[in-house]
Amino acid sequence: ILEVHTDWPEVCRLLHPRAAELARDARLDGLLTEAIARLPRLELCFDTPWLLCYQALERRLVRGDYLAARQLARAAVAQFERLGDGDGYAYALASVAIARYHLGQYATALAELDTCSCSEDPTCRAALSFTAYLNYLGQDRLEPAIRAAHCGLHALERESNMLRRTHWWMVLQRNLVAAYHFQGELAAARRAGEEALALSERHFATEDSYAWSLYELGLLEQRAGRFQLALTYLRRARTHLEQTTRYAVLWRGLAGCGGPYLTGHGRSGCGG
């Protein structure tokens, strides 16, 4: 259907049963990604806000279009609110907060997240914690950032879906690398990064999550002055991306910190 169908609203309706699962796992199916990428207008209305979340994910990870991602996620927030769906509202608000992080709107994102206490779903709580972590990190507030990430890890202990729990655990651990390192805890940063890499190798070796884990470790070793090891990680990430989906966000990151001298600096964390 996705390869030949041109009625994209109908395609999205057909995918309705899977929409929530796909979005909450934060994993992109290749054919659906291609279909969404060909949607002609951002204003196209879907019959489920979960598909808006999925489209926001595609705009953010594949295209690096954070304004569009924020717009789509905010539309999902409004729809979830009208439906009285607390779990969906929390997830969509987290999606808005990730887009705000990339746009440098840290204070606004944190203020919005502070108003959300309507979901006890483990995955949604992990998503909220993850986005709070990113925006605290954007403000150089390392202690609350680390606390937020650990709240997410704690919430995942109640997640019954093993794949979902593993995926979000990996996302939180690989992003914790930056905060631990800037706090001066290099050993803790390496442990978090290596755990994330091990999980991605074991469960997501054919997906872009694996490249993200390599990328975070590469940035860590770059900051630590171990340039040869950093290059090894970053080259492995590049090789993996050349063989799989090419995410615009990660490609730009690799281009910015690669090269013979690895002169790029700055804090990382935007995982998918």
Side-chain angles (χ1 to χ4, degrees):
I1 292 174
L2 288 171
E3 292 177 327
V4 300
H5 212 301
T6 56
D7 185 354
W8 300 123
E10 178 61 20
V11 170
C12 291
R13 279 190 286 274
L14 291 170
L15 289 166
H16 182 284
R18 292 189 64 212
E21 177 186 355
L22 287 167
R24 287 162 70 153
D25 287 344
R27 300 165 67 214
L28 291 172
D29 176 83
L31 286 177
L32 180 55
T33 300
E34 293 175 12
I36 289 175
R38 293 197 296 271
L39 288 171
R41 296 175 61 83
L42 287 179
E43 300 82 29
L44 185 63
C45 293
F46 300 139
D47 64 348
T48 169
W50 283 110
L51 285 167
L52 286 172
C53 288
Y54 202 98
Q55 192 182 358
L57 186 69
E58 185 273 339
R59 284 297 198 279
R60 177 169 58 85
L61 288 179
V62 179
R63 303 192 191 191
D65 187 346
Y66 306 121
L67 285 171
R70 186 188 63 186
Q71 178 182 346
L72 289 158
R74 290 181 66 184
V77 166
Q79 287 195 30
F80 281 127
E81 188 171 25
R82 286 195 297 270
L83 293 169
D85 185 339
D87 291 343
Y89 179 89
Y91 183 89
L93 189 64
S95 184
V96 173
I98 294 180
R100 290 198 184 283
Y101 162 76
H102 287 289
L103 295 168
Q105 300 169 353
Y106 313 126
T108 301
L110 289 167
E112 291 174 344
L113 291 171
D114 282 343
T115 68
C116 184
S117 59
C118 54
S119 173
E120 290 303 320
D121 176 83
T123 296
C124 292
R125 296 309 306 176
L128 290 168
S129 297
F130 169 56
T131 56
Y133 165 86
L134 291 179
N135 284 285
Y136 280 127
L137 195 65
Q139 292 183 328
D140 295 330
R141 298 169 64 185
L142 300 180
E143 289 290 349
I146 291 172
R147 284 198 300 272
H150 280 280
C151 284
L153 293 172
H154 180 69
L156 289 173
E157 294 173 0
R158 298 183 288 105
E159 176 58 71
S160 59
N161 183 304
M162 179 65 72
L163 185 62
R164 192 171 294 160
R165 181 168 71 246
T166 302
H167 171 81
W168 280 97
W169 191 279
M170 176 193 62
V171 168
L172 285 163
Q173 288 285 43
R174 76 167 181 243
N175 279 276
L176 269 168
V177 169
Y180 280 141
H181 179 257
F182 285 109
Q183 199 177 43
E185 299 183 27
L186 187 57
R190 284 203 176 99
R191 282 196 301 272
E194 289 166 359
E195 179 178 342
L197 181 59
L199 286 171
S200 64
E201 284 179 317
R202 191 176 309 125
H203 300 281
F204 309 103
T206 62
E207 300 179 16
D208 292 284
S209 297
Y210 178 57
W212 278 111
S213 297
L214 289 166
Y215 174 66
E216 293 294 346
L217 276 171
L219 289 183
L220 171 66
E221 299 304 346
Q222 171 192 342
R223 298 188 198 101
R226 299 170 67 175
F227 299 131
Q228 192 57 50
L229 182 57
L231 277 172
T232 298
Y233 283 129
L234 294 171
R235 284 169 177 163
R236 286 172 61 189
R238 183 183 182 90
T239 298
H240 179 78
L241 283 180
E242 288 172 345
Q243 298 168 350
T244 58
T245 304
R246 299 175 179 232
Y247 278 15
V249 174
L250 189 45
W251 271 116
R252 285 203 297 272
L254 286 168
C257 67
Y261 300 107
L262 290 168
T263 55
H265 295 283
R267 306 198 168 181
S268 67
C270 57

